[in-house]
PDB file of all heavy atoms in Angstrom:
ATOM      1  N   ILE C  52     151.139  22.977   5.295  1.00  0.00           N
ATOM      2  CA  ILE C  52     151.108  24.220   4.513  1.00  0.00           C
ATOM      3  C   ILE C  52     152.055  24.081   3.318  1.00  0.00           C
ATOM      4  O   ILE C  52     153.198  23.642   3.451  1.00  0.00           O
ATOM      5  CB  ILE C  52     151.588  25.411   5.381  1.00  0.00           C
ATOM      6  CG1 ILE C  52     150.792  25.489   6.675  1.00  0.00           C
ATOM      7  CG2 ILE C  52     151.513  26.721   4.591  1.00  0.00           C
ATOM      8  CD1 ILE C  52     149.313  25.631   6.511  1.00  0.00           C
ATOM      9  N   GLY C  53     151.587  24.515   2.144  1.00  0.00           N
ATOM     10  CA  GLY C  53     152.375  24.342   0.929  1.00  0.00           C
ATOM     11  C   GLY C  53     153.517  25.334   0.781  1.00  0.00           C
ATOM     12  O   GLY C  53     154.616  24.996   0.331  1.00  0.00           O
ATOM     13  N   LYS C  54     153.292  26.565   1.194  1.00  0.00           N
ATOM     14  CA  LYS C  54     154.270  27.620   0.903  1.00  0.00           C
ATOM     15  C   LYS C  54     154.924  28.074   2.209  1.00  0.00           C
ATOM     16  O   LYS C  54     154.265  28.653   3.080  1.00  0.00           O
ATOM     17  CB  LYS C  54     153.517  28.790   0.252  1.00  0.00           C
ATOM     18  CG  LYS C  54     154.373  29.958  -0.192  1.00  0.00           C
ATOM     19  CD  LYS C  54     153.469  31.069  -0.759  1.00  0.00           C
ATOM     20  CE  LYS C  54     154.259  32.246  -1.267  1.00  0.00           C
ATOM     21  NZ  LYS C  54     154.760  32.022  -2.647  1.00  0.00           N
ATOM     22  N   ILE C  55     156.207  27.818   2.335  1.00  0.00           N
ATOM     23  CA  ILE C  55     156.933  28.173   3.555  1.00  0.00           C
ATOM     24  C   ILE C  55     158.192  28.932   3.168  1.00  0.00           C
ATOM     25  O   ILE C  55     159.002  28.433   2.386  1.00  0.00           O
ATOM     26  CB  ILE C  55     157.285  26.904   4.366  1.00  0.00           C
ATOM     27  CG1 ILE C  55     155.987  26.160   4.727  1.00  0.00           C
ATOM     28  CG2 ILE C  55     158.085  27.265   5.615  1.00  0.00           C
ATOM     29  CD1 ILE C  55     156.177  24.830   5.394  1.00  0.00           C
ATOM     30  N   GLU C  56     158.345  30.152   3.693  1.00  0.00           N
ATOM     31  CA  GLU C  56     159.406  31.036   3.234  1.00  0.00           C
ATOM     32  C   GLU C  56     160.198  31.609   4.405  1.00  0.00           C
ATOM     33  O   GLU C  56     159.680  31.734   5.509  1.00  0.00           O
ATOM     34  CB  GLU C  56     158.787  32.241   2.474  1.00  0.00           C
ATOM     35  CG  GLU C  56     157.828  31.858   1.364  1.00  0.00           C
ATOM     36  CD  GLU C  56     158.551  31.401   0.090  1.00  0.00           C
ATOM     37  OE1 GLU C  56     159.797  31.635  -0.001  1.00  0.00           O
ATOM     38  OE2 GLU C  56     157.898  30.822  -0.800  1.00  0.00           O
ATOM     39  N   ALA C  57     161.429  32.030   4.119  1.00  0.00           N
ATOM     40  CA  ALA C  57     162.204  32.762   5.125  1.00  0.00           C
ATOM     41  C   ALA C  57     161.856  34.254   5.067  1.00  0.00           C
ATOM     42  O   ALA C  57     161.818  34.939   6.075  1.00  0.00           O
ATOM     43  CB  ALA C  57     163.700  32.578   4.883  1.00  0.00           C
ATOM     44  N   ASP C  58     161.580  34.721   3.868  1.00  0.00           N
ATOM     45  CA  ASP C  58     161.356  36.157   3.664  1.00  0.00           C
ATOM     46  C   ASP C  58     159.860  36.456   3.521  1.00  0.00           C
ATOM     47  O   ASP C  58     159.201  35.917   2.632  1.00  0.00           O
ATOM     48  CB  ASP C  58     162.108  36.576   2.387  1.00  0.00           C
ATOM     49  CG  ASP C  58     162.052  38.082   2.168  1.00  0.00           C
ATOM     50  OD1 ASP C  58     161.202  38.764   2.807  1.00  0.00           O
ATOM     51  OD2 ASP C  58     162.856  38.570   1.363  1.00  0.00           O
ATOM     52  N   HIS C  59     159.379  37.344   4.366  1.00  0.00           N
ATOM     53  CA  HIS C  59     157.938  37.623   4.345  1.00  0.00           C
ATOM     54  C   HIS C  59     157.498  38.320   3.059  1.00  0.00           C
ATOM     55  O   HIS C  59     156.308  38.327   2.728  1.00  0.00           O
ATOM     56  CB  HIS C  59     157.531  38.448   5.575  1.00  0.00           C
ATOM     57  CG  HIS C  59     158.069  39.842   5.547  1.00  0.00           C
ATOM     58  ND1 HIS C  59     159.371  40.146   5.865  1.00  0.00           N
ATOM     59  CD2 HIS C  59     157.480  41.028   5.240  1.00  0.00           C
ATOM     60  CE1 HIS C  59     159.558  41.447   5.752  1.00  0.00           C
ATOM     61  NE2 HIS C  59     158.432  42.001   5.383  1.00  0.00           N
ATOM     62  N   HIS C  60     158.445  38.915   2.318  1.00  0.00           N
ATOM     63  CA  HIS C  60     158.054  39.579   1.061  1.00  0.00           C
ATOM     64  C   HIS C  60     157.476  38.577   0.076  1.00  0.00           C
ATOM     65  O   HIS C  60     156.644  38.932  -0.764  1.00  0.00           O
ATOM     66  CB  HIS C  60     159.263  40.302   0.456  1.00  0.00           C
ATOM     67  CG  HIS C  60     159.717  41.458   1.303  1.00  0.00           C
ATOM     68  ND1 HIS C  60     160.754  41.347   2.225  1.00  0.00           N
ATOM     69  CD2 HIS C  60     159.268  42.739   1.401  1.00  0.00           C
ATOM     70  CE1 HIS C  60     160.932  42.516   2.825  1.00  0.00           C
ATOM     71  NE2 HIS C  60     160.047  43.380   2.353  1.00  0.00           N
ATOM     72  N   ALA C  61     157.908  37.332   0.200  1.00  0.00           N
ATOM     73  CA  ALA C  61     157.352  36.294  -0.681  1.00  0.00           C
ATOM     74  C   ALA C  61     155.851  36.146  -0.469  1.00  0.00           C
ATOM     75  O   ALA C  61     155.098  35.838  -1.395  1.00  0.00           O
ATOM     76  CB  ALA C  61     158.066  34.962  -0.430  1.00  0.00           C
ATOM     77  N   LEU C  62     155.419  36.376   0.756  1.00  0.00           N
ATOM     78  CA  LEU C  62     153.982  36.306   1.053  1.00  0.00           C
ATOM     79  C   LEU C  62     153.277  37.553   0.527  1.00  0.00           C
ATOM     80  O   LEU C  62     152.189  37.477  -0.058  1.00  0.00           O
ATOM     81  CB  LEU C  62     153.734  36.180   2.556  1.00  0.00           C
ATOM     82  CG  LEU C  62     153.822  34.779   3.166  1.00  0.00           C
ATOM     83  CD1 LEU C  62     155.137  34.086   2.879  1.00  0.00           C
ATOM     84  CD2 LEU C  62     153.545  34.825   4.670  1.00  0.00           C
ATOM     85  N   LEU C  63     153.923  38.694   0.742  1.00  0.00           N
ATOM     86  CA  LEU C  63     153.303  39.952   0.318  1.00  0.00           C
ATOM     87  C   LEU C  63     153.159  40.016  -1.203  1.00  0.00           C
ATOM     88  O   LEU C  63     152.233  40.638  -1.717  1.00  0.00           O
ATOM     89  CB  LEU C  63     154.140  41.146   0.822  1.00  0.00           C
ATOM     90  CG  LEU C  63     154.298  41.256   2.343  1.00  0.00           C
ATOM     91  CD1 LEU C  63     155.102  42.511   2.697  1.00  0.00           C
ATOM     92  CD2 LEU C  63     152.942  41.282   3.033  1.00  0.00           C
ATOM     93  N   ASN C  64     154.091  39.350  -1.885  1.00  0.00           N
ATOM     94  CA  ASN C  64     154.060  39.378  -3.347  1.00  0.00           C
ATOM     95  C   ASN C  64     153.177  38.301  -3.955  1.00  0.00           C
ATOM     96  O   ASN C  64     153.010  38.244  -5.174  1.00  0.00           O
ATOM     97  CB  ASN C  64     155.488  39.220  -3.892  1.00  0.00           C
ATOM     98  CG  ASN C  64     156.347  40.421  -3.517  1.00  0.00           C
ATOM     99  OD1 ASN C  64     155.824  41.522  -3.328  1.00  0.00           O
ATOM    100  ND2 ASN C  64     157.656  40.199  -3.399  1.00  0.00           N
ATOM    101  N   ASP C  65     152.625  37.450  -3.108  1.00  0.00           N
ATOM    102  CA  ASP C  65     151.821  36.325  -3.614  1.00  0.00           C
ATOM    103  C   ASP C  65     150.376  36.792  -3.811  1.00  0.00           C
ATOM    104  O   ASP C  65     149.685  37.129  -2.857  1.00  0.00           O
ATOM    105  CB  ASP C  65     151.879  35.186  -2.585  1.00  0.00           C
ATOM    106  CG  ASP C  65     151.138  33.954  -3.068  1.00  0.00           C
ATOM    107  OD1 ASP C  65     150.276  34.072  -3.986  1.00  0.00           O
ATOM    108  OD2 ASP C  65     151.395  32.876  -2.512  1.00  0.00           O
ATOM    109  N   PRO C  66     149.921  36.831  -5.074  1.00  0.00           N
ATOM    110  CA  PRO C  66     148.572  37.373  -5.329  1.00  0.00           C
ATOM    111  C   PRO C  66     147.471  36.497  -4.736  1.00  0.00           C
ATOM    112  O   PRO C  66     146.362  36.978  -4.516  1.00  0.00           O
ATOM    113  CB  PRO C  66     148.490  37.393  -6.855  1.00  0.00           C
ATOM    114  CG  PRO C  66     149.535  36.437  -7.330  1.00  0.00           C
ATOM    115  CD  PRO C  66     150.619  36.399  -6.289  1.00  0.00           C
ATOM    116  N   GLU C  67     147.793  35.253  -4.442  1.00  0.00           N
ATOM    117  CA  GLU C  67     146.763  34.373  -3.867  1.00  0.00           C
ATOM    118  C   GLU C  67     146.418  34.767  -2.435  1.00  0.00           C
ATOM    119  O   GLU C  67     145.332  34.469  -1.942  1.00  0.00           O
ATOM    120  CB  GLU C  67     147.277  32.923  -3.904  1.00  0.00           C
ATOM    121  CG  GLU C  67     146.194  31.904  -3.625  1.00  0.00           C
ATOM    122  CD  GLU C  67     146.758  30.583  -3.094  1.00  0.00           C
ATOM    123  OE1 GLU C  67     147.859  30.570  -2.500  1.00  0.00           O
ATOM    124  OE2 GLU C  67     146.072  29.577  -3.265  1.00  0.00           O
ATOM    125  N   ILE C  68     147.355  35.415  -1.771  1.00  0.00           N
ATOM    126  CA  ILE C  68     147.159  35.741  -0.357  1.00  0.00           C
ATOM    127  C   ILE C  68     146.365  37.032  -0.192  1.00  0.00           C
ATOM    128  O   ILE C  68     146.713  38.067  -0.766  1.00  0.00           O
ATOM    129  CB  ILE C  68     148.530  35.812   0.354  1.00  0.00           C
ATOM    130  CG1 ILE C  68     149.081  34.380   0.448  1.00  0.00           C
ATOM    131  CG2 ILE C  68     148.408  36.467   1.726  1.00  0.00           C
ATOM    132  CD1 ILE C  68     150.425  34.274   1.091  1.00  0.00           C
ATOM    133  N   ASP C  69     145.281  36.931   0.602  1.00  0.00           N
ATOM    134  CA  ASP C  69     144.386  38.071   0.811  1.00  0.00           C
ATOM    135  C   ASP C  69     144.798  38.914   2.012  1.00  0.00           C
ATOM    136  O   ASP C  69     144.534  40.113   2.062  1.00  0.00           O
ATOM    137  CB  ASP C  69     142.961  37.573   1.074  1.00  0.00           C
ATOM    138  CG  ASP C  69     142.447  36.656  -0.010  1.00  0.00           C
ATOM    139  OD1 ASP C  69     142.478  37.057  -1.192  1.00  0.00           O
ATOM    140  OD2 ASP C  69     142.020  35.522   0.320  1.00  0.00           O
ATOM    141  N   ALA C  70     145.344  38.235   3.002  1.00  0.00           N
ATOM    142  CA  ALA C  70     145.580  38.934   4.272  1.00  0.00           C
ATOM    143  C   ALA C  70     146.783  38.327   4.972  1.00  0.00           C
ATOM    144  O   ALA C  70     147.094  37.150   4.773  1.00  0.00           O
ATOM    145  CB  ALA C  70     144.355  38.822   5.183  1.00  0.00           C
ATOM    146  N   VAL C  71     147.438  39.145   5.804  1.00  0.00           N
ATOM    147  CA  VAL C  71     148.570  38.618   6.569  1.00  0.00           C
ATOM    148  C   VAL C  71     148.323  38.800   8.073  1.00  0.00           C
ATOM    149  O   VAL C  71     147.632  39.725   8.503  1.00  0.00           O
ATOM    150  CB  VAL C  71     149.906  39.303   6.186  1.00  0.00           C
ATOM    151  CG1 VAL C  71     150.325  38.891   4.789  1.00  0.00           C
ATOM    152  CG2 VAL C  71     149.812  40.817   6.330  1.00  0.00           C
ATOM    153  N   VAL C  72     148.936  37.887   8.808  1.00  0.00           N
ATOM    154  CA  VAL C  72     148.885  37.949  10.271  1.00  0.00           C
ATOM    155  C   VAL C  72     150.323  38.182  10.733  1.00  0.00           C
ATOM    156  O   VAL C  72     151.179  37.307  10.569  1.00  0.00           O
ATOM    157  CB  VAL C  72     148.314  36.639  10.834  1.00  0.00           C
ATOM    158  CG1 VAL C  72     148.421  36.615  12.351  1.00  0.00           C
ATOM    159  CG2 VAL C  72     146.860  36.471  10.397  1.00  0.00           C
ATOM    160  N   ILE C  73     150.577  39.370  11.268  1.00  0.00           N
ATOM    161  CA  ILE C  73     151.941  39.779  11.599  1.00  0.00           C
ATOM    162  C   ILE C  73     152.254  39.449  13.060  1.00  0.00           C
ATOM    163  O   ILE C  73     151.674  40.036  13.974  1.00  0.00           O
ATOM    164  CB  ILE C  73     152.144  41.287  11.343  1.00  0.00           C
ATOM    165  CG1 ILE C  73     151.867  41.599   9.859  1.00  0.00           C
ATOM    166  CG2 ILE C  73     153.550  41.725  11.751  1.00  0.00           C
ATOM    167  CD1 ILE C  73     151.943  43.084   9.518  1.00  0.00           C
ATOM    168  N   CYS C  74     153.155  38.507  13.259  1.00  0.00           N
ATOM    169  CA  CYS C  74     153.556  38.072  14.602  1.00  0.00           C
ATOM    170  C   CYS C  74     155.066  38.195  14.770  1.00  0.00           C
ATOM    171  O   CYS C  74     155.696  37.417  15.504  1.00  0.00           O
ATOM    172  CB  CYS C  74     153.117  36.635  14.839  1.00  0.00           C
ATOM    173  SG  CYS C  74     151.353  36.392  14.682  1.00  0.00           S
ATOM    174  N   SER C  75     155.648  39.152  14.090  1.00  0.00           N
ATOM    175  CA  SER C  75     157.088  39.388  14.188  1.00  0.00           C
ATOM    176  C   SER C  75     157.396  40.159  15.479  1.00  0.00           C
ATOM    177  O   SER C  75     156.481  40.583  16.180  1.00  0.00           O
ATOM    178  CB  SER C  75     157.516  40.216  12.970  1.00  0.00           C
ATOM    179  OG  SER C  75     156.733  41.394  12.911  1.00  0.00           O
ATOM    180  N   PRO C  76     158.685  40.367  15.788  1.00  0.00           N
ATOM    181  CA  PRO C  76     159.022  41.196  16.949  1.00  0.00           C
ATOM    182  C   PRO C  76     158.434  42.608  16.819  1.00  0.00           C
ATOM    183  O   PRO C  76     158.248  43.121  15.709  1.00  0.00           O
ATOM    184  CB  PRO C  76     160.554  41.222  16.931  1.00  0.00           C
ATOM    185  CG  PRO C  76     160.957  39.977  16.197  1.00  0.00           C
ATOM    186  CD  PRO C  76     159.878  39.755  15.169  1.00  0.00           C
ATOM    187  N   THR C  77     158.176  43.245  17.964  1.00  0.00           N
ATOM    188  CA  THR C  77     157.483  44.530  18.000  1.00  0.00           C
ATOM    189  C   THR C  77     158.112  45.577  17.087  1.00  0.00           C
ATOM    190  O   THR C  77     157.407  46.312  16.385  1.00  0.00           O
ATOM    191  CB  THR C  77     157.454  45.069  19.445  1.00  0.00           C
ATOM    192  OG1 THR C  77     156.624  44.199  20.214  1.00  0.00           O
ATOM    193  CG2 THR C  77     156.905  46.480  19.513  1.00  0.00           C
ATOM    194  N   ASP C  78     159.450  45.640  17.046  1.00  0.00           N
ATOM    195  CA  ASP C  78     160.068  46.734  16.292  1.00  0.00           C
ATOM    196  C   ASP C  78     159.921  46.579  14.775  1.00  0.00           C
ATOM    197  O   ASP C  78     160.271  47.489  14.021  1.00  0.00           O
ATOM    198  CB  ASP C  78     161.538  46.933  16.706  1.00  0.00           C
ATOM    199  CG  ASP C  78     162.335  45.656  16.556  1.00  0.00           C
ATOM    200  OD1 ASP C  78     161.757  44.609  16.172  1.00  0.00           O
ATOM    201  OD2 ASP C  78     163.554  45.687  16.831  1.00  0.00           O
ATOM    202  N   LEU C  79     159.369  45.454  14.339  1.00  0.00           N
ATOM    203  CA  LEU C  79     159.108  45.273  12.907  1.00  0.00           C
ATOM    204  C   LEU C  79     157.648  45.504  12.537  1.00  0.00           C
ATOM    205  O   LEU C  79     157.296  45.524  11.349  1.00  0.00           O
ATOM    206  CB  LEU C  79     159.519  43.853  12.481  1.00  0.00           C
ATOM    207  CG  LEU C  79     161.007  43.522  12.630  1.00  0.00           C
ATOM    208  CD1 LEU C  79     161.257  42.068  12.238  1.00  0.00           C
ATOM    209  CD2 LEU C  79     161.845  44.458  11.761  1.00  0.00           C
ATOM    210  N   HIS C  80     156.771  45.629  13.550  1.00  0.00           N
ATOM    211  CA  HIS C  80     155.334  45.724  13.268  1.00  0.00           C
ATOM    212  C   HIS C  80     155.001  46.856  12.296  1.00  0.00           C
ATOM    213  O   HIS C  80     154.338  46.659  11.280  1.00  0.00           O
ATOM    214  CB  HIS C  80     154.540  45.926  14.572  1.00  0.00           C
ATOM    215  CG  HIS C  80     154.467  44.717  15.446  1.00  0.00           C
ATOM    216  ND1 HIS C  80     153.872  44.721  16.684  1.00  0.00           N
ATOM    217  CD2 HIS C  80     154.929  43.444  15.268  1.00  0.00           C
ATOM    218  CE1 HIS C  80     153.956  43.518  17.239  1.00  0.00           C
ATOM    219  NE2 HIS C  80     154.608  42.739  16.398  1.00  0.00           N
ATOM    220  N   ALA C  81     155.482  48.052  12.625  1.00  0.00           N
ATOM    221  CA  ALA C  81     155.051  49.228  11.863  1.00  0.00           C
ATOM    222  C   ALA C  81     155.492  49.124  10.407  1.00  0.00           C
ATOM    223  O   ALA C  81     154.699  49.351   9.488  1.00  0.00           O
ATOM    224  CB  ALA C  81     155.596  50.502  12.501  1.00  0.00           C
ATOM    225  N   VAL C  82     156.734  48.741  10.220  1.00  0.00           N
ATOM    226  CA  VAL C  82     157.216  48.688   8.831  1.00  0.00           C
ATOM    227  C   VAL C  82     156.533  47.569   8.051  1.00  0.00           C
ATOM    228  O   VAL C  82     156.208  47.719   6.872  1.00  0.00           O
ATOM    229  CB  VAL C  82     158.767  48.567   8.801  1.00  0.00           C
ATOM    230  CG1 VAL C  82     159.226  47.231   9.334  1.00  0.00           C
ATOM    231  CG2 VAL C  82     159.297  48.819   7.395  1.00  0.00           C
ATOM    232  N   MET C  83     156.249  46.467   8.696  1.00  0.00           N
ATOM    233  CA  MET C  83     155.544  45.384   8.005  1.00  0.00           C
ATOM    234  C   MET C  83     154.104  45.771   7.684  1.00  0.00           C
ATOM    235  O   MET C  83     153.567  45.369   6.651  1.00  0.00           O
ATOM    236  CB  MET C  83     155.574  44.108   8.840  1.00  0.00           C
ATOM    237  CG  MET C  83     156.938  43.417   8.811  1.00  0.00           C
ATOM    238  SD  MET C  83     156.850  41.813   9.673  1.00  0.00           S
ATOM    239  CE  MET C  83     158.510  41.177   9.323  1.00  0.00           C
ATOM    240  N   ILE C  84     153.484  46.538   8.575  1.00  0.00           N
ATOM    241  CA  ILE C  84     152.137  47.039   8.266  1.00  0.00           C
ATOM    242  C   ILE C  84     152.196  47.897   7.002  1.00  0.00           C
ATOM    243  O   ILE C  84     151.376  47.746   6.084  1.00  0.00           O
ATOM    244  CB  ILE C  84     151.576  47.858   9.453  1.00  0.00           C
ATOM    245  CG1 ILE C  84     151.192  46.927  10.615  1.00  0.00           C
ATOM    246  CG2 ILE C  84     150.379  48.696   9.018  1.00  0.00           C
ATOM    247  CD1 ILE C  84     150.748  47.659  11.882  1.00  0.00           C
ATOM    248  N   GLU C  85     153.206  48.769   6.931  1.00  0.00           N
ATOM    249  CA  GLU C  85     153.331  49.626   5.746  1.00  0.00           C
ATOM    250  C   GLU C  85     153.528  48.795   4.477  1.00  0.00           C
ATOM    251  O   GLU C  85     152.889  49.036   3.451  1.00  0.00           O
ATOM    252  CB  GLU C  85     154.505  50.597   5.923  1.00  0.00           C
ATOM    253  CG  GLU C  85     154.228  51.650   6.993  1.00  0.00           C
ATOM    254  CD  GLU C  85     155.476  52.479   7.308  1.00  0.00           C
ATOM    255  OE1 GLU C  85     156.074  53.065   6.373  1.00  0.00           O
ATOM    256  OE2 GLU C  85     155.867  52.521   8.505  1.00  0.00           O
ATOM    257  N   GLU C  86     154.417  47.808   4.577  1.00  0.00           N
ATOM    258  CA  GLU C  86     154.675  46.957   3.407  1.00  0.00           C
ATOM    259  C   GLU C  86     153.428  46.182   2.984  1.00  0.00           C
ATOM    260  O   GLU C  86     153.100  46.083   1.799  1.00  0.00           O
ATOM    261  CB  GLU C  86     155.795  45.954   3.725  1.00  0.00           C
ATOM    262  CG  GLU C  86     157.170  46.578   3.881  1.00  0.00           C
ATOM    263  CD  GLU C  86     158.214  45.540   4.293  1.00  0.00           C
ATOM    264  OE1 GLU C  86     157.809  44.446   4.746  1.00  0.00           O
ATOM    265  OE2 GLU C  86     159.408  45.823   4.152  1.00  0.00           O
ATOM    266  N   ALA C  87     152.741  45.616   3.978  1.00  0.00           N
ATOM    267  CA  ALA C  87     151.558  44.818   3.665  1.00  0.00           C
ATOM    268  C   ALA C  87     150.471  45.694   3.052  1.00  0.00           C
ATOM    269  O   ALA C  87     149.793  45.302   2.090  1.00  0.00           O
ATOM    270  CB  ALA C  87     151.051  44.127   4.932  1.00  0.00           C
ATOM    271  N   ALA C  88     150.319  46.897   3.615  1.00  0.00           N
ATOM    272  CA  ALA C  88     149.316  47.815   3.079  1.00  0.00           C
ATOM    273  C   ALA C  88     149.656  48.142   1.620  1.00  0.00           C
ATOM    274  O   ALA C  88     148.782  48.115   0.745  1.00  0.00           O
ATOM    275  CB  ALA C  88     149.264  49.085   3.926  1.00  0.00           C
TER     276      ALA C  88
END
Side-chain angles (χ1 to χ4, degrees):
Chain C
I52 306 302
K54 183 183 182 83
I55 301 174
E56 308 282 346
D58 186 344
H59 69 282
H60 293 96
L62 277 55
L63 300 182
N64 294 333
D65 183 340
E67 193 204 25
I68 289 179
D69 305 306
V71 290
V72 173
I73 301 176
C74 301
S75 55
T77 293
D78 56 358
L79 297 177
H80 288 176
V82 68
M83 285 186 174
I84 287 175
E85 291 171 55
E86 291 176 344

